[in-house]
Every structure is written in structure tokens, then in C-alpha cells.
Amino acid sequence: MRLIVTCAVGLEDLLRGDLAHDGAQVTVGGDGELLVDGAEPDALRTNPMVDRVALPWAVGDDLSGAESLCRAGGFEEPIAFRVHERDASRREVLVESVEAATGWTNDPSGWQVNLVPQAGRAEIGPLAWASRFGAMERLPATTPPAVAAGVLRLAKLRPGMRLLDPCGGVGTIPIVDALVRPGSGLVVDLSTESIELAQNNIRSLSLEDRVFAEVGDATDLDLADGCVDRVVSDVPFGKKIGSTKANDTLYPGLVAELARVLADDGRAILITDDKRRFADVVARNRSLKIVKETPLRYNGVTPTAFSISRVRARRR
Ligand SMILES: C[S@@+](CC[C@H](N)C(=O)[O-])C[C@H]1O[C@@H](n2cnc3c(N)ncnc32)[C@H](O)[C@@H]1O
């Protein structure tokens, strides 16, 4: 069965590699979209870079594949669907024909299958990110979890490593990491509201023993030198959060703290859309260097994920 699998734009190759490694045949179908044949549903279910899964579908096509994918996603109740069609009379005709062909119920607010005739696809709700891993409380600048998963892959985290997100918001990055890797994570953020939401998210996903969240300043971290293996963070771009002027102070302070708290073989991945300013700040730091830049696109922003490593061992 052919599937349409979506991820953040810029992460297609990473996800294609994973799915191909698990035995599927994968081609890039477009920005943020893979066409996948022969994937084991489990390989899709457990990969946190997978944002959504759909089946190619046209009016009149058989929908038994969509039902099996809902079952593979762990949904055992009778299936409900919706039809994403603006024209009310066309929608009504479609709803009736799908009800007659499948015995499913039309439920626009509680669906498992979303039929989108104009896009030619049937979206599978139980295989969407939040259905697979759990819903999290969010704020407007929250990093989408499937983006967090891809950026975490760039960090090459190994079991047992200590991860820090110094501008961690509601905790998405360390939480997504802890859902798939044994190891610990620390979320730091200036905002009390964000840290409260992070703590709720950590509790609701039962990660209290491995992910910790505390109010703090990324430019003045309450952490010992060299105590962190990886830093992964979606830092303020100066658009939705902060200002480019504030970044003039934030970025040098943050980069100086990275240089201080990262272990000798540490690595950091930082996402920002204020690219020139960030790259200039790293270039001025004597102990860190940018080793890779990965352009991303999601939710109307086009940031870069900067991979950073040490130039030389930390001074003791
Ligand atoms: C893009 S958001 C982070 C999104 C986060 N990954 C999430 O999913 O919620 C940037 C965050 O940086 C925080 N921030 C801004 N300046 C900071 C500072 N000096 N120290 C720590 N956090 C800061 C903001 O409060 C905001 O939560």
C-alpha cells in the first residue's frame, strides 16, 4: 500500500533514510512529503519525525486500507470520518456514499479518517503525531514535535547522555527526546508560564523521573562547567518571541554559556531564523564552530538548524 507521509520541510532525507532502513521504498513527493511503499505500520508509528500519514484517495475508491491503518494505529472503536469539502451539496453526496460503502459514521469533530477530495488523500487520525505519542500543552512559539524530533536526530544523542534546552518553552524538545531515548533532559526558560506548562507536559507523559523543568536564564545558567552532552534549542528569532535587538544581548550570552556548559565532546543544535546574527556570534566565539546548517520550513517560518561543536577542548 502506498502512503503519503509528511514531515517538516528540510527533514525529508533524514526520514527517508529511517524508513528505507526499515525496509520501505521511499521517494520524496514534494516539500515535507514522502511517498512510501511497503512500510511496516510500526515503523511509522514509532518514528517521531513522522508528522501525519495519509493514503492516496479519490472519490469512489475503496477505503478498507484507511480502516486497517486506523487499526494499526491502535484505534479499536467503530470508525468516524469527515469530508473536507467546502461545497455543502458535494459534501453531503460524498458523506452519504462513504456511509453506504463503509458503515462508518460522519463526525466532523471526532473523526479518525479525514477525506480531502481536493488533495486526493485520506488522512489517518490515529497515525498523527499527537495520537501516537500524546498531546502536549502549547504556546504560539512552541516547536512542532515532529520538527523537534528531526532536530534531535541532528544532535546524535546516545543512551544516557544529558540534554539541555536553555530556551525550552513548554519542554517539547527534551520531552520528544525522552519519548524515544533513555537519558535525561533539562528544560530551562525565563518564563514561569512556559515552565508550568512544561511541568504539566512532563507529568502527563509520565516523564518526571527523566525530564526536569526550571525557570532560568539561558545567558546565566545555574549549571556546572562541562556538565551537558548535548544542547538542542529553538531559540527566540526576534519575530514571535523577543526582538532582533534583544538577540544582540541574548545570542552572545547564550553562546558563551554553551561554550561553558558543553562537555569536551559536546554538540549543540540551535534553530533560529535570525541566521546572520547567530552565525556572527558563533564565529566570534573561540571555542565553538558551526559544522553544518540545515534549512527548515514549518508553520510559515524558515529557520536554520545550526550544528555546533567545539573547536578545541574546554579550558580547565
Ligand atoms: C521559540 S520559543 C521555544 C519553543 C520551545 N522549543 C517549545 O516547544 O515551547 C523560545 C523560548 O525562549 C525563551 N527565552 C527567551 N529569552 C530567554 C532567556 N534569556 N533565557 C531562557 N529562555 C528565554 C522564551 O520564553 C521562549 O519560551
Side-chain angles (χ1 to χ4, degrees):
M1 176 167 32
R2 166 158 290 194
L3 301 174
I4 304 162
V5 174
T6 51
C7 63
V9 177
L11 299 177
E12 297 92 342
D13 283 341
L14 271 179
L15 181 55
R16 177 170 58 175
D18 278 10
L19 297 178
H21 181 262
D22 288 333
Q25 288 175 337
V26 190
T27 51
V28 177
D31 281 353
E33 203 163 278
L34 301 180
L35 302 176
V36 181
D37 293 288
E40 287 297 328
D42 236 28
L44 295 172
R45 233 173 22 82
T46 55
N47 193 314
M49 279 191 285
V50 170
D51 188 20
R52 277 169 292 138
V53 176
L55 271 173
W57 173 81
V59 175
D61 280 359
D62 173 49
L63 280 163
S64 53
E67 180 148 351
S68 358
L69 286 169
C70 290
R71 305 296 177 219
F75 189 78
E76 282 160 16
E77 310 289 311
I79 306 282
F81 72 103
R82 85 186 265 253
V83 174
H84 187 84
E85 165 62 68
R86 283 223 180 99
D87 183 284
S89 55
R90 273 207 296 266
R91 189 171 60 241
E92 211 171 302
V93 171
L94 262 172
V95 164
E96 278 173 20
S97 70
V98 171
E99 280 175 341
T102 60
W104 297 351
T105 315
N106 178 39
D107 182 354
S109 59
W111 54 270
Q112 287 77 49
V113 177
N114 182 30
L115 299 170
V116 193
Q118 275 187 343
R121 63 186 60 181
E123 295 175 350
I124 310 299
L127 290 178
W129 202 98
S131 304
R132 290 168 13 242
F133 292 102
M136 283 188 256
E137 295 190 62
R138 312 168 52 86
L139 286 171
T142 296
T143 314
V147 173
V151 176
L152 283 159
R153 279 292 302 280
L154 298 173
K156 300 188 183 354
L157 280 135
R158 295 191 297 275
M161 279 185 163
R162 292 150 302 178
L163 168 68
L164 165 70
D165 183 349
C167 292
V170 304
T172 316
I173 292 172
I175 288 173
V176 170
D177 171 56
L179 290 171
V180 295
R181 179 190 72 97
S184 64
L186 175 62
V187 183
V188 171
D189 201 284
L190 265 189
S191 146
T192 312
E193 182 197 7
S194 296
I195 291 299
E196 279 171 8
L197 294 179
Q199 284 163 345
N200 293 347
N201 287 334
I202 291 165
R203 259 194 308 277
S204 70
L205 293 164
S206 307
L207 295 169
E208 301 96 316
D209 56 339
R210 290 190 297 121
V211 185
F212 309 92
E214 60 190 40
V215 174
D217 185 344
T219 66
D220 184 17
L221 292 164
D222 186 15
L223 291 173
D225 295 2
C227 71
V228 169
D229 300 299
R230 297 288 186 267
V231 172
V232 181
S233 197
D234 176 6
V235 303
F237 303 169
K239 290 179 180 169
K240 282 185 193 158
I241 296 279
S243 65
T244 48
K245 187 161 167 30
N247 288 349
D248 275 336
T249 319
L250 173 64
Y251 286 4
L254 168 67
V255 169
E257 281 296 73
L258 285 189
R260 186 181 70 78
V261 301
L262 269 181
D264 288 349
D265 59 350
R267 176 189 287 248
I269 314 290
L270 270 76
I271 313 176
T272 179
D273 209 359
D274 195 356
K275 300 160 198 152
R276 168 79 59 88
R277 192 179 315 263
F278 183 76
D280 285 351
V281 170
V282 179
R284 285 200 296 273
N285 187 291
R286 288 191 184 169
S287 55
L288 298 177
K289 62 178 176 190
I290 292 170
V291 290
K292 186 175 172 188
E293 297 183 24
T294 309
L296 301 171
R297 173 149 59 85
Y298 56 88
N299 295 353
V301 292
T302 53
T304 290
F306 290 92
S307 303
I308 295 166
S309 70
R310 284 197 175 283
V311 172
R312 56 185 174 205
R314 188 170 44 89
R315 267 182 297 174
R316 292 173 193 277

